[in-house]
Amino acid sequence: CRDLFDLHELAEHLGVDLAHVRPIFEAKARAQSVDASLFAERFEQRMPAYRERWLEEMDEHVIGEPPPFREVERAIRRRLRAAGLLSG
């Protein structure tokens, strides 16, 4: 959940364009022997667990009220589609 939260903060609040970060992500994946082309599939597999654990985990990492999961998910999906990391 923290990764999703951090991605949301970077993209939505700091204006980081995920399309510009994509080559760095792909290079890191290669260095770790991870197939970056499986990102979309793995993202979708993780979303139900993130949704279930969101409030519990965010209470450990965020001061105050964490953003609603639905809003974070929607924003990140939009940004990942724009970066070509998720299909529409």
Side-chain angles (χ1 to χ4, degrees):
C1 290
R2 179 63 190 267
D3 291 339
L4 188 65
F5 176 79
D6 290 347
L7 194 58
H8 179 261
E9 290 296 303
L10 288 170
E12 294 296 308
H13 297 279
L14 297 177
V16 173
D17 184 346
L18 299 183
H20 291 129
V21 178
R22 184 178 180 171
I24 297 166
F25 161 74
E26 290 170 343
K28 182 178 179 181
R30 278 192 305 276
Q32 295 179 346
S33 300
V34 174
D35 185 351
S37 70
L38 298 176
F39 174 81
E41 180 181 334
R42 289 183 176 173
F43 178 83
E44 295 300 342
Q45 289 171 349
R46 287 186 172 114
M47 292 313 286
Y50 286 171
R51 188 175 298 112
E52 185 177 309
R53 298 187 325 245
W54 183 255
L55 289 177
E56 179 182 334
E57 287 193 23
M58 289 299 96
D59 281 346
E60 297 174 15
H61 300 290
V62 177
I63 296 172
E65 188 72 23
F69 179 82
R70 175 175 254 141
E71 290 177 21
V72 171
E73 180 183 16
R74 189 177 314 123
I76 292 305
R77 285 183 181 281
R78 183 177 59 247
R79 297 286 186 139
L80 291 171
R81 280 192 301 271
L85 289 165
L86 286 181
S87 59

